[in-house]
Amino acid sequence: MERYDDDALVLSTVDYGESDRLVTLLTREHGKLTAFAAGARKSKRRFAGALEPFMRLRVHLVETRGSTVRLDSTDIVAGYYAARGDLSLIARALYAVELCRELTRDHEPQSELFVLLEGYLTRLDAKEAGPTSLLAFELSALAHAGLMPRFDACALCGAPPGERPRFDQAHGGAVCEPCSLRAREAVPVPVALLSGLRALQEGARTPLPADLRARARGLLNVFIAHHLGRRLKSVDFMAQVGLD
């Protein structure tokens, strides 16, 4: 059995049996892994406080048969404890880790996504993540997964979206008015919303007005749910704490 160390972010945990835990990790070198942590729920020393969502760890792993690895021990690198004291920051962090978990496949290297998620959690913890930062994070994560929605041109014909654009999640983004006849689920969107989202894709960080932010959240929620086949659970939590 091969043993190795890696940097990891905890994406989620599930209790297993009476004392064990299954931990989903996003690692720097090995991608997403499901790790079996024996006795994690009873041991107060071995994994003390480490196996919580969005913890940053140095993990010591052992390959086993099948797709699950064994988690032998962990060292906490960053707990993002300041973020854990603010409900709105917790909601954003939980959404970010759930999105990364659902966008990735097991054992596929995702070093760029790891850096993206680590950077976002670090900004949340430092309370430096502005009101548009979650949208920027989502768009970057979608790009890493090969699911980047198109806002600069019609996703069907490639023409400019025009003055009365629509957005259709099934076709991957904006559609112009003529093509909207072929996109039955397309909904009207403001031109300013498409240009704002395109700017975020291109690296701009100018905050969107609150009304456009709320519309953008709705569009991306629908787009992500369509491509994943389900709505992320943390979307409802964000709504409960009043995040647009």
Side-chain angles (χ1 to χ4, degrees), residues 2-8 25-31 33 56-63 69-75 77 114:
E2 181 182 354
R3 298 173 180 270
Y4 57 92
D5 296 343
D6 205 344
D7 298 316
L25 304 169
L26 180 63
T27 66
R28 186 187 298 273
E29 301 296 334
H30 298 83
L33 302 175
R56 166 74 164 83
L57 309 173
R58 184 67 178 173
V59 294
H60 311 280
L61 302 165
V62 180
E63 286 189 352
V69 299
R70 191 176 78 223
L71 181 60
D72 265 6
S73 62
T74 64
D75 297 310
V77 177
F114 178 92

Side-chain angles (χ1 to χ4, degrees), residues 10-145:
V10 179
L11 301 182
S12 61
T13 64
V14 176
D15 291 341
Y16 184 83
E18 294 184 359
S19 61
D20 308 324
R21 184 166 286 172
L22 292 174
V23 187
T24 303
L25 304 169
L26 180 63
T27 66
R28 186 187 298 273
E29 301 296 334
H30 298 83
K32 185 174 73 173
L33 302 175
T34 300
F36 180 75
R41 295 162 61 195
K42 288 188 175 180
S43 173
K44 295 182 179 180
R45 297 179 59 185
R46 191 176 174 202
F47 299 112
L51 305 185
E52 299 295 334
F54 68 92
M55 295 292 288
R56 166 74 164 83
L57 309 173
R58 184 67 178 173
V59 294
H60 311 280
L61 302 165
V62 180
E63 286 189 352
T64 60
R65 293 180 180 179
S67 59
T68 302
V69 299
R70 191 176 78 223
L71 181 60
D72 265 6
S73 62
T74 64
D75 297 310
I76 296 176
V77 177
Y80 306 112
Y81 298 113
R84 293 176 191 276
D86 185 315
L87 195 58
S88 67
L89 299 182
I90 292 173
R92 289 181 172 92
L94 290 177
Y95 178 83
V97 296
E98 185 184 9
L99 179 63
C100 289
R101 187 189 70 205
E102 296 302 314
L103 287 177
T104 52
R105 297 179 180 178
D106 290 347
H107 299 280
E108 290 188 357
Q110 295 283 351
S111 58
E112 292 182 352
L113 185 61
F114 178 92
V115 171
L116 177 70
L117 179 56
E118 181 184 33
Y120 181 63
L121 294 174
T122 299
R123 291 194 299 277
L124 285 179
D125 193 56
K127 300 186 178 180
E128 295 175 349
T132 309
S133 61
L134 182 57
L135 292 172
F137 172 82
E138 287 175 275
L139 293 171
S140 295
L142 288 169
H144 286 305

